[in-house]
Amino acid sequence: MVGAVVLAVAFGGIVPGVAVAESAWGECPPDPAGSDPRLRCAVLEVPLDYRAPGGRKIEIRVSRLATAKPGLRRGVLLHNGGGPGQASLHLPSRYAQAYSREVLDRYDLIGFDPRGVGYSTPITCGRSPAELPNEWVMPFPAADGSITGNVDYARDLARDCLKHGGDIVRHVTTANTARDMDRIRVALGERRISYSSGSYGSYLGAVYATLFPERTDRIVLDGNVDPNRVWHRQWALWDSGAELRFPDFAAWAVREGGFGATPDQVRAGFLALAKKLDRTPVVHPKAGPVNGNLLRAIFRAYSYHSLYFPEIGAWWRFLADGGPAPAWGDPELVPGVPQDNSVAVLMAVTCGDTYWPHDIDQYRREVRVNRARYPILGGMGANIWPCAFWPKPLEPTVRVTTNGPTNILLLQTLRDPATPYAGALGMRDSLGHRARMITVNTGNHGAYDPTTPSCAITETHRFLTTGTLPRHDRTCEPDPGGPRQAGLTGFTPLLR
């Protein structure tokens, strides 16, 4: 299922990389999840290629939710939705529901669709949702461990993305998005910017803080990527991350009943069900045949938050016992935005940021090892991507370093399946004295989580309000009371 990434055409005039006049801000496109009526939008032009700043321009759509107390205003706080490939234009409305009043008083909240995404000159691979099945975009090996089908799919998808992405696709990179962020800073008339994001957005923030250290104010990075592993070795962590996360689900399944009397029985049952589906898929009325790899993809997506464990349970009951068919959403149709936009950007960034090995046998070896060590995902994380057939990146990968001010707060959970703790340690080491890290003992994807309050929330609000970082790295338990359903409305499982 390819998630929708945009909503409708934004209003507001196009302005160059100079301060945005108030008249340039206009109505924002509608948001199905509901936007704050105060949110305003504008459009910037930025260079397609920063090596030739006077050449072709592309559009970046930007939003602003101004502080209600200008007298207390410190500056602007930018946000990114992760992915790569997730629309971020309406994020200020989400964060406005989570931040403390002290934070909201001090910042204009800024969102933007990154280059290539949504209303920021979107790119496409020219494919329909039916041509982007979950278990192929996320490259699960065949039931016997073969990756021959993945190789063919990756080669063809690379061909289509490069063909239909035109002269834009190879310039959709993290470094260029960071440069766009600095153009946004200039257009907003700010000397420095603050930033809050997670997942892929952690890497984007680290790259910005590396390219423009003197222009950073207060930076919060959650669910951290290891900047030394982008991207093949980072994605390979998904295999071990799923193993670390599975016991959390198994403990829930034991409490729920019907999946096994012990965590070991739950694990054995899940693996047995996946193998059974590899042999004989079960037909879902909307999703079609559900094989073992689609079950693995479903587990991966819904393992991102413990409040979604019941969704995994519902699929398990349907597939094993003929229970009610779980819901299966359709991709949203957005005028002017290709349905494969999020996948196109995912490929462009993943392949354009850094060189990937072109030796197919290397992927075979790594998949074989990870399938044996980490069977929950069957070696998907280590598998081949279209990047193995992509041209050499246009510029070297940005090396994140300790050069810059001490103004970065890292947030992390111990058993995050999407950006595992091992990667966060790499980010922590790369930033050195520039950062402090808060680790929360949960397995959700992201520690700044209003549904699971913890010291990560209080330390983030304190840092954004006062600029005070913890004196030392610290680890904490979630606050008493357990997860709370309220506030999870902005969470979308990454089923592709």
Side-chain angles (χ1 to χ4, degrees):
M1 176 171 60
V2 183
V5 294
V6 290
L7 303 165
V9 178
F11 298 93
I14 297 176
V15 296
V18 297
V20 181
E22 285 302 315
S23 59
W25 295 98
E27 182 181 351
C28 290
D31 180 4
S35 284
D36 191 303
R38 299 171 298 161
L39 192 69
R40 310 299 285 170
C41 289
V43 184
L44 300 180
E45 282 190 339
V46 299
L48 170 65
D49 185 350
Y50 278 92
R51 300 170 302 176
R56 180 180 173 182
K57 302 297 190 294
I58 59 174
E59 294 181 0
I60 302 296
R61 306 298 171 109
V62 184
S63 64
R64 181 182 68 179
L65 185 58
T67 173
K69 296 186 178 179
L72 297 178
R73 183 183 183 277
R74 177 178 180 83
V76 297
L77 179 55
L78 269 71
H79 303 84
N80 172 266
Q86 296 301 303
S88 305
L89 192 66
H90 293 90
L91 282 181
S93 295
R94 314 284 188 275
Y95 278 93
Q97 300 174 42
Y99 286 141
S100 68
R101 174 50 52 192
E102 290 79 10
V103 172
L104 295 175
D105 287 346
R106 284 165 175 77
Y107 296 96
D108 295 344
L109 306 185
I110 306 299
F112 70 106
D113 278 350
R115 64 168 48 206
V117 176
Y119 291 105
S120 292
T121 311
I123 61 172
T124 179
C125 294
R127 291 205 171 192
S128 68
E131 296 172 304
L132 296 167
N134 299 284
E135 64 272 29
W136 287 100
V137 175
M138 297 287 107
F140 287 87
D144 62 357
S146 169
I147 69 167
T148 299
N150 302 115
V151 172
D152 293 341
Y153 187 86
R155 181 187 292 112
D156 292 347
L157 185 55
R159 176 202 64 210
D160 291 349
C161 292
L162 290 166
K163 174 183 176 181
H164 293 280
D167 59 351
I168 299 177
V169 64
R170 297 191 64 203
H171 296 280
V172 178
T173 64
T174 301
N176 280 335
T177 301
R179 295 176 181 118
D180 295 341
M181 287 168 55
D182 205 55
R183 290 296 180 104
I184 293 172
R185 176 193 63 80
V186 173
L188 294 173
E190 300 291 330
R191 290 180 55 250
R192 296 182 297 173
I193 58 173
S194 294
Y195 176 85
S196 178
S197 184
S199 196
Y200 163 73
S202 70
Y203 180 60
L204 174 60
V207 169
Y208 182 84
T210 297
L211 296 178
F212 307 101
E214 74 283 359
R215 298 170 191 170
T216 60
D217 190 8
R218 297 167 182 173
I219 308 296
V220 179
L221 308 180
D222 191 4
N224 290 275
V225 165
D226 184 344
N228 304 298
R229 299 180 70 101
V230 295
W231 283 110
H232 171 57
R233 293 192 303 128
Q234 176 66 34
W235 293 163
L237 291 176
W238 286 340
D239 292 330
S240 58
E243 298 291 332
L244 292 172
R245 179 58 162 158
F246 195 87
D248 292 337
F249 167 72
W252 171 89
V254 170
R255 294 192 302 270
E256 181 71 10
F259 303 99
T262 67
D264 286 345
Q265 289 182 9
V266 173
R267 177 183 173 83
F270 178 86
L271 293 174
L273 177 59
K275 288 184 178 180
K276 180 181 178 181
L277 294 169
D278 284 335
R279 297 188 300 269
T280 309
V282 171
V283 177
H284 183 277
K286 289 194 68 176
V290 180
N291 60 17
N293 280 339
L294 186 49
L295 173 63
R296 296 176 184 105
I298 287 167
F299 169 77
R300 175 182 175 270
Y302 287 114
S303 71
Y304 277 31
H305 201 287
S306 59
L307 287 175
Y308 281 85
F309 286 169
E311 297 291 336
I312 304 173
W315 278 97
W316 187 326
R317 291 189 177 98
F318 166 71
L319 296 170
D321 305 320
W328 183 263
D330 292 320
E332 293 184 18
L333 298 175
V334 182
V337 178
Q339 286 187 273
D340 68 344
N341 179 233
S342 63
V343 171
V345 176
L346 175 66
M347 299 306 160
V349 173
T350 301
C351 302
D353 276 357
T354 189
Y355 175 84
W356 278 58
H358 287 198
D359 179 5
I360 294 174
D361 284 337
Q362 176 180 335
Y363 297 102
R364 289 195 177 99
R365 291 191 297 269
E366 292 184 25
V367 166
R368 189 180 309 119
V369 169
N370 277 21
R371 280 175 65 84
R373 290 180 179 173
Y374 316 118
I376 294 295
L377 295 188
M380 181 276 286
N383 207 353
I384 194 167
W385 277 53
C387 310
F389 305 99
W390 211 263
K392 181 181 178 181
L394 297 177
E395 63 177 313
T397 306
V398 175
R399 180 172 174 265
V400 174
T401 72
T402 61
N403 297 327
T406 302
N407 63 350
I408 301 175
L409 179 63
L410 305 180
L411 309 177
Q412 186 67 32
T413 65
L414 279 175
R415 298 177 302 282
D416 187 327
T419 49
Y421 183 68
L425 293 179
M427 179 71 86
R428 179 70 184 87
D429 183 65
S430 293
L431 292 170
H433 75 91
R434 299 192 67 184
R436 302 288 185 272
M437 188 161 86
I438 302 293
T439 303
V440 183
N441 183 20
T442 76
N444 296 332
H445 179 37
Y448 187 87
D449 177 5
T451 72
T452 311
S454 70
C455 70
I457 300 282
T458 54
E459 290 288 358
T460 295
H461 292 167
R462 184 165 74 110
F463 172 56
L464 290 174
T465 301
T466 68
T468 303
L469 285 168
R471 294 183 61 186
H472 307 286
D473 293 357
R474 61 173 295 198
T475 300
C476 68
E477 298 291 328
D479 294 349
R484 307 167 189 174
Q485 187 70 39
L488 199 63
T489 54
F491 173 78
T492 303
L494 297 183
L495 265 177
R496 296 183 179 275

